[in-house]
Every structure is written in structure tokens, then in C-alpha cells.
Amino acid sequence: MNGHDTSTSSDCLVSWVRHARAVALWMTASYLVVAPLVFALQGQDGLVAAGIAALVCAAATISAQFTAIWLAGAGQPFHATLIAMLLRMAPPLVFCMAIGFRRGPLTDAGAVFYVIGFYMVTLAVDTWLSVGRISLASLSRKG
């Protein structure tokens, strides 16, 4: 099997959709947990900054999961891990650099700190999902 047949491709897509939903669910739940405190401390600007930070982290993690699943399905687990790590880290870091260099409402509302917090959530969720995927793959090879 070369990793690109129809059943493997559909399995990869199903796995990615499941992971994307899990990341979206965890990010939404995390945002809803911190939103009342953010609003009380910073008002609407804080909510916008936290929402953008959550969106940046979620999008980076979902794209990293897609890449990891696709490359691992193609039989390239080393490349999958490295490229997924780059895709998970780079967008939040670039976002933080961009708003740090160009000071404005997002910087004033603490978006960098929200990125750090939401990045930790996405890192934990991504690791949990990846370990589950690796465990299932190793079990299927043994059986």
C-alpha cells in the first residue's frame, strides 16, 4: 500500500475531520471559560484580542494535524512530525511578532498573552490527538 489509495485517503480525511472538530471544541470551550474574566478586565477589546488569538492558534493546529495525518499516511512519519511542528508554531509566533512590532489595540488588549495561553491549550490537544493516532496505528500494525 503506497499511502495514497482511496481507503487510506478517506481514512486520513475522517481522522483529520475528527481532530479538527476536537480542536475547535476545545478552543471554543477555552474561549468561553476565559471570556467573562476577559470582558470584566478589558471589555470588548479584550474579547476581540482573545478571539483572534484563539483563532490563530486553532487554525495553526488544524493545519498541522492535516499535514501530519496526510504525511504519516504517505509513510513519512519523520517529515510529518517536523512539518506539523513548524505549522503549529510558526503562525502564532509570526502573529505575536507582527502585533509586537506594530503596536496597536491588539497589543494593548494583551493578544500576545492570549496567544500564549491558547497555544498551550492547542499544544495539549494536539499532543493528545497525535498520541492517540500513533497508538492506533501501532496497534493496527501488530494485529
Side-chain angles (χ1 to χ4, degrees):
M1 189 179 326
N2 65 8
H4 291 291
D5 63 2
T6 307
S7 65
T8 303
S9 296
S10 65
D11 290 345
C12 289
L13 182 62
V14 168
S15 180
W16 176 72
V17 168
R18 185 176 54 243
H19 289 16
R21 279 192 299 211
V23 169
L25 178 68
W26 276 98
M27 291 306 292
T28 302
S30 299
Y31 179 80
L32 292 174
V33 166
V34 300
L37 180 62
V38 169
F39 185 73
L41 295 174
Q42 296 177 313
Q44 191 170 358
D45 288 346
L47 288 177
V48 170
I52 291 172
L55 186 63
V56 167
C57 291
T61 300
I62 289 170
S63 68
Q65 279 290 335
F66 177 77
T67 303
I69 290 168
W70 182 65
L71 288 175
Q76 300 183 11
F78 180 72
H79 293 97
T81 303
L82 288 179
I83 293 172
M85 187 185 323
L86 175 68
L87 289 174
R88 185 186 325 109
M89 289 173 43
L93 289 174
V94 169
F95 176 75
C96 286
M97 284 179 24
I99 65 171
F101 285 137
R102 184 177 176 164
R103 306 222 24 113
L106 286 176
T107 308
D108 295 340
V112 171
F113 299 104
Y114 296 128
V115 168
I116 293 168
F118 287 122
Y119 181 81
M120 298 310 260
V121 172
T122 57
L123 181 61
V125 171
D126 191 40
T127 302
W128 174 59
L129 295 170
S130 297
V131 168
R133 188 177 62 250
I134 292 167
S135 296
L136 288 174
S138 66
L139 286 175
S140 68
R141 284 189 204 121
K142 289 180 183 177

